[in-house]
Structure formats: structure tokens, C-alpha cells
């Protein structure tokens, strides 16, 4: 089978388009809306408007980067959800219109599921089963993945996502949005034993996460130790390292607990927070115990269209819809709501 895929992702503040030849990414253009920094978070209405302005240019760049003409496309894919509704509508309708105009099949792809498969981009086959931890700005979910269309949720965050814990913690420390990468950078030269931030272990739901308490504990710690208005004088590197350690130990601890209890030795960690260097190094320690740990390449950690196209490729090839000889229609694969 030879598929040329156009994929579009616009669920949040990145407009992205990618062209793939089967599982190979030929181009992956990402335009990040940096202006949200001014507001300390994403403004949904401004995000949708910016997607509208840039989408045509981004798609053209994806075609020229891939040295491919739009007439060669034989599968179109877009993020169906979850995400900001106004932002999703822009990319989804653009891709859907393209598929109707060109009379090509269309795959509506679940954003979380595409993060999960992003660890394997470029591979023709994915080996099952594996445990998947998807950690982004909006989600923290632990999956047991048994097949291309077969997975179950083991646990998820009961309040904030891990990325949110990083971003909100960073805001309290006077750092810009998004704070995750900045905490990661500052923590590299900090002492992680400087302060012990507690993370709830949720003994009654062992695979669920909770990150709202750590934010509060950072707030009280800052107030007690440094008082109001101390932003310029904080031992930032040490605080970042200690805070990061607490978030990471909860993510790694629960994922490895699930792997051990289910007897699964492959673990895939994806989503924006999977770019975190401490998270990566802590997980990699388990390779000494016979575990295989998969991360996406850093460029595929945060939101991108290549992961949407790759997931569409896997689904198209392995889909029961296709096996019955029918075209792929919207919603065919968007069965999973998280
Ligand atoms: O997957 P993503 O690009 O968008 C969502 O679907 O949410 O994830 C963005 C999140 C943000 O919270 C950002 O702070 C976090 O990923 N992030 C990181 C790092 N890089 C991005 N968090 C910690 N360390 C990083 N290096
Ligand atoms: Zn994402």
C-alpha cells in the first residue's frame, strides 16, 4: 500500500500540517502562537483567529517541504478532539473540505491517541501490549494498550494535568508561560532535595493522579519562607528541581506500578511533558531492569501534525472499516472520548 497523507493539527495553540508517505514523515510544519505569553495562558478566541490566518500558509509549506503536490494525497487526516472547540474547527474543517474537494478518504483522529502512538513514528508496526502514559498540558492518563483499536484507561488525573502543575507552579515563581520547559532548564542546576513537596498517592485509586495539592504546597512554601513580593530573590533552581522531582516521581511511580502489576515490559511516554529531561532520565533507569522505554523524538512530544498523520496511517491499515472495503469516514475512529 502506498499512502500519501496530509495531516492537520490545530487543537490548541499550534497550527501544524504534515505530509507523510506511509509511516515516514516528509514534512512537519509547526507554527506556535507565541503571543499568548502576554496573557499568561491561552486565550481561546485569539487562538482560533490565529489558526484561520495561518493555516493555508502552513499547509503550503508542508507540501513544499515534502516536495509533494496536493494531487498526490490519497488520505486526509485531522484532529477531531479533544481540544479548544474554536481551534479544532479551523483545522478539522480545512482538512474535511480538502478531502471532499479532492474526493479522498478522511480520518478523524483523537488527539490523545495520536500522542500515544507518537513514540513509534516512522515504524511500520507497533508491538503490543504496552503501558502508555500521556502527559500534556490538559491531560494525564495511563493506558493499557492492547492493539490498534483496543485500549483501556487505567487511571487519570482527578484534578490538574501534570503540564498544568508545571505551568501554574512556574507562574507562581514569576516564570513565563508555558513554564514546563523553563522549570526543566532551571532544575538542571538545582538541588532536588532542597524541599520535599508532597504529591498525593491516592491509596484508594492507585493509578489515578492528583496535582492540585502540590501547587498549593508551593504557594504556602513561598509565602512562609519568602513572604509576598519575593519573586526576584528566590533560590529558583533549587525550588524548580524539588518541585519537578515531586511531579516526576508520581508519574514514574504509578506507571511502573501498573507495568509491574500487569506484567508488561514496554512503556511509552508521550505528550508535551514527555520532553522533560528528569522524567526521561528517571524512566530510563528501568531499562536496567529489562523494561523497554519509548519516548517520542522531542519534536513529536508537543503538539504536531505528524502524529495525527501517523495515527491515521496505522488506523487506515488496520481498520475494520477499511477491511470491509468501505471508505473511511469522519468519526470512524473518533470513538474515544477522554
Ligand atoms: O502536548 P502539549 O504540546 O499540548 C497539550 O496537548 O496540552 O503539551 C504542552 C505542555 C505544557 O504544559 C508545557 O509546559 C509542557 O507540555 N512541557 C513541559 C516540557 N515541555 C513542554 N513540561 C515539563 N518539561 C518540559 N521540558
Ligand atoms: Zn497535546
Amino acid at each position: 500500500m502506498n499512502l500519501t497523507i496530509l495531516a492537520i493539527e490545530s487543537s490548541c495553540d499550534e497550527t501544524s500540517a504534515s505530509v507523510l508517505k506511509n509511516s515516514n514523515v516528509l514534512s512537519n510544519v509547526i507554527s506556535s502562537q507565541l503571543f499568548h505569553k502576554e496573557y499568561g495562558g491561552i486565550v481561546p478566541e485569539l487562538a482560533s483567529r490565529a489558526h484561520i490566518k495561518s493555516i493555508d500558509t502552513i499547509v503550503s509549506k508542508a507540501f513544499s517541504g515534502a516536495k509533494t503536490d496536493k494531487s498526490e494525497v490519497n488520505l486526509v487526516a485531522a484532529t477531531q478532539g479533544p481540544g479548544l472547540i474554536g481551534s479544532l474547527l479551523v483545522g478539522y474543517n480545512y482538512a474535511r473540505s480538502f478531502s471532499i474537494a479532492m474526493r479522498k478518504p478522511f480520518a478523524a483522529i483523537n488527539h490523545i491517541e495520536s500522542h500515544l502512538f507518537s513514540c513509534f513514528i516512522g515504524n511500520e508496526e507497533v508491538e503490543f501490549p504496552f503501558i502508555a502514559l500521556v502527559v500534556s498540558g490538559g491531560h494525564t492518563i495511563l493506558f493499557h494498550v492492547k492493539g490498534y483499536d483496543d485500549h483501556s484507561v487505567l487511571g487519570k488525573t482527578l484534578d490538574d494535568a501534570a503540564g498544568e502543575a508545571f505551568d501554574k507552579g512556574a507562574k507562581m515563581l514569576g516564570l513565563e508561560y508555558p513554564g514546563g520547559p523553563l522549570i526543566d532548564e532551571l532544575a538542571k542546576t538545582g538541588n532536588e532535595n532542597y524541599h520535599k513537596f508532597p504529591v498525593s498517592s491516592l491509596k484508594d485509586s492507585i493509578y489515578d493522579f492528583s496535582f492540585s495539592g502540590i501547587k498549593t504546597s508551593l504557594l504556602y512554601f513561598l509565602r512562609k519562607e519568602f513572604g509576598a513580593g519575593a519573586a526576584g530573590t528566590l533560590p529558583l533552581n533549587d525550588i524548580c528541581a524539588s518541585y519537578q522531582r515531586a511531579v516526576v516521581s508520581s508519574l514514574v511511580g504509578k506507571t511502573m506500578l501498573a507495568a509491574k502489576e500487569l506484567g508488561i515490559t514496554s512503556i511509552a511516554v508521550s505528550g508535551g511533558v514527555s520532553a522533560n529531561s528528569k522524567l526521561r532520565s528517571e524512566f530510563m533507569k528501568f531499562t536496567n531492569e529489562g523494561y523497554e522505554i519509548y519516548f517520542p523524538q522531542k519534536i513529536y512530544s508537543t503538539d504536531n501534525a505528524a502524529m495525527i498523520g501517523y495515527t491515521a496511517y496505522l488506523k487506515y491499515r488496520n481498520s475494520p472499516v477499511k477491511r470491509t472495503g468501505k471508505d473511511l469516514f469522519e468519526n470512524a475512529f473518533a470513538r474515544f472520548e477522554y
Side-chain angles (χ1 to χ4, degrees), residues 152-208:
S152 49
V153 174
L154 296 169
K156 54 185 172 182
T157 182
L158 302 181
D159 38 58
D160 288 347
E164 236 175 321
F166 275 116
D167 296 339
K168 290 179 178 169
K171 198 170 179 179
M172 285 181 218
L173 295 169
L175 303 173
E176 271 189 352
Y177 177 87
L182 298 173
I183 290 188
D184 189 358
E185 204 43 47
L186 290 164
K188 282 181 185 153
T189 48
N191 171 12
E192 62 178 26
N193 297 316
Y194 170 75
H195 182 73
K196 196 167 183 319
F197 289 104
V199 177
S200 165
S201 62
L202 301 170
K203 292 202 169 47
D204 293 336
S205 50
I206 46 168
Y207 299 138
D208 286 330

Side-chain angles (χ1 to χ4, degrees), residues 19-292:
V19 176
L20 298 90
K21 197 63 123 205
N22 294 340
S23 61
N24 293 317
V25 179
L26 302 184
S27 65
N28 181 40
V29 183
I30 305 172
S31 160
S32 296
Q33 303 173 356
L34 301 175
F35 61 83
H36 293 290
K37 279 183 203 287
E38 281 175 44
Y39 304 93
I42 294 163
V43 186
E45 177 63 20
L46 297 182
S48 343
R49 285 169 191 260
H51 284 307
I52 292 172
K53 274 197 191 146
S54 62
I55 190 143
D56 217 22
T57 314
I58 299 299
V59 171
S60 301
K61 281 189 184 162
F63 278 123
S64 57
K67 298 192 174 37
T68 304
D69 185 77
K70 63 176 185 298
S71 60
E72 294 170 52
V73 171
N74 41 22
L75 176 64
V76 186
T79 309
Q80 195 213 22
L84 300 172
I85 190 66
S87 293
L88 285 164
L89 280 170
V90 178
Y92 187 91
N93 283 328
Y94 189 102
R96 188 73 182 109
S97 309
F98 186 103
S99 82
I100 292 168
M102 305 295 280
R103 296 175 194 277
K104 299 298 172 196
F106 177 72
I109 297 296
N110 183 289
H111 182 85
I112 305 296
E113 206 182 4
S114 74
H115 269 306
L116 182 161
F117 284 119
S118 67
C119 294
F120 308 103
I121 288 179
N123 292 5
E124 274 295 299
E125 296 292 339
V126 175
E127 278 189 30
F128 301 101
F130 59 92
I131 298 287
L133 173 70
V134 181
V135 258
S136 70
H139 296 86
T140 301
I141 312 182
L142 197 57
F143 295 95
H144 178 189
V145 189
K146 294 159 254 181
Y148 290 108
D149 268 329
D150 184 7
H151 57 253
S152 49
V153 174
L154 296 169
K156 54 185 172 182
T157 182
L158 302 181
D159 38 58
D160 288 347
E164 236 175 321
F166 275 116
D167 296 339
K168 290 179 178 169
K171 198 170 179 179
M172 285 181 218
L173 295 169
L175 303 173
E176 271 189 352
Y177 177 87
L182 298 173
I183 290 188
D184 189 358
E185 204 43 47
L186 290 164
K188 282 181 185 153
T189 48
N191 171 12
E192 62 178 26
N193 297 316
Y194 170 75
H195 182 73
K196 196 167 183 319
F197 289 104
V199 177
S200 165
S201 62
L202 301 170
K203 292 202 169 47
D204 293 336
S205 50
I206 46 168
Y207 299 138
D208 286 330
F209 302 89
S210 169
F211 294 108
S212 65
I214 189 175
K215 260 177 0 200
T216 317
S217 95
L218 175 63
L219 181 70
Y220 288 149
F221 171 76
L222 292 177
R223 268 195 205 151
K224 181 164 169 270
E225 298 294 322
F226 302 99
T233 60
L234 299 173
L236 264 187
N237 303 50
D238 295 340
I239 298 175
C240 286
S242 306
Y243 189 80
Q244 175 176 270
R245 176 184 173 220
V247 175
V248 166
S249 77
S250 161
L251 294 171
V252 176
K254 297 211 169 212
T255 306
M256 295 316 299
L257 182 68
K260 279 178 190 151
E261 293 211 339
L262 295 170
I264 294 175
T265 52
S266 293
I267 289 133
V269 187
S270 60
V273 179
S274 74
N276 185 271
S277 38
K278 173 80 178 162
L279 185 77
R280 288 187 174 224
S281 63
E282 286 301 312
F283 267 119
M284 287 314 285
K285 288 181 183 165
F286 287 91
T287 55
N288 298 330
E289 294 180 28
Y291 288 95
E292 302 240 36

